[in-house]
Amino acid sequence: MEKKMFKGLGRRKSSVAHVILSHSTNDANKITVNGKTPSKFFPNELIIQDMMQPLALLKDEKGFFDIKAKVIGGGFTGQAGAIRLAITRALVEYDKNLKKIFKAVKLTTQDRRVKERKKFGKYGARRSHQFVKR
């Protein structure tokens, strides 16, 4: 019997995450991020909790999953946000009824905020030179 796989794509800032979700034979969620465990890939536990938020909402209702995530670009928080959105989308593909649960907690919406580019004649995106009176 072959495993049924569900795919999800997530983006956050400049990070892009591809997630493949399948049913687990164990009684635990097995997650790999770029071939590593989340504790070895991410620097602290808060980022991992943020990434695992869709699975924490299920509370063992739907069983356990094997999750393989491939992340490209950005920093740790952007990558965790991209993985979270990708896991959410894969779980919604697995069961359409979960969308109501995730939408209530605002996990289905993509966060489009990106760093604004630096403009010429300025120090950053908006900061101007300091005014000198004399």
Side-chain angles (χ1 to χ4, degrees):
M1 185 176 129
E2 67 180 70
K3 281 187 173 181
K4 197 99 154 92
M5 291 194 231
F6 304 95
K7 295 181 181 180
L9 173 77
R11 293 187 191 97
R12 171 80 172 97
K13 293 187 176 181
S14 60
S15 302
V16 180
H18 296 277
V19 165
I20 297 173
L21 182 121
S22 60
H23 263 294
S24 177
T25 54
N26 308 12
D27 290 340
N29 292 319
K30 184 185 174 202
I31 300 173
T32 57
V33 180
N34 290 355
K36 299 178 184 177
T37 61
S39 58
K40 288 185 180 176
F41 189 79
F42 291 113
N44 62 22
E45 202 63 35
L46 283 174
I47 295 174
I48 296 170
Q49 285 178 357
D50 182 41
M51 180 190 74
M52 303 281 283
Q53 198 173 1
L55 295 172
L57 283 175
L58 290 182
K59 296 179 187 166
D60 305 330
E61 290 176 15
K62 301 288 178 185
F64 298 101
F65 298 98
D66 287 337
I67 298 170
K68 291 181 183 177
K70 185 180 179 207
V71 189
I72 301 166
F76 292 122
T77 55
Q79 288 177 345
I83 292 172
R84 180 182 65 197
L85 181 62
I87 290 172
T88 304
R89 287 181 174 171
L91 285 169
V92 167
E93 187 182 321
Y94 165 72
D95 184 8
K96 304 287 183 199
N97 298 327
L98 292 174
K99 189 166 185 174
K100 292 176 185 175
I101 298 168
F102 293 142
K103 199 166 186 172
V105 193
K106 297 182 180 172
L107 287 178
T108 55
T109 55
Q110 182 174 335
D111 193 352
R112 298 235 178 234
R113 293 177 296 169
V114 188
K115 185 176 179 181
E116 193 175 339
R117 80 170 199 85
K118 181 193 176 299
K119 278 71 167 196
F120 62 92
K122 305 233 176 202
Y123 285 123
R126 298 184 181 205
R127 187 179 184 300
S128 299
H129 295 283
Q130 187 172 355
F131 174 73
V132 180
K133 194 167 186 179
R134 290 181 184 84

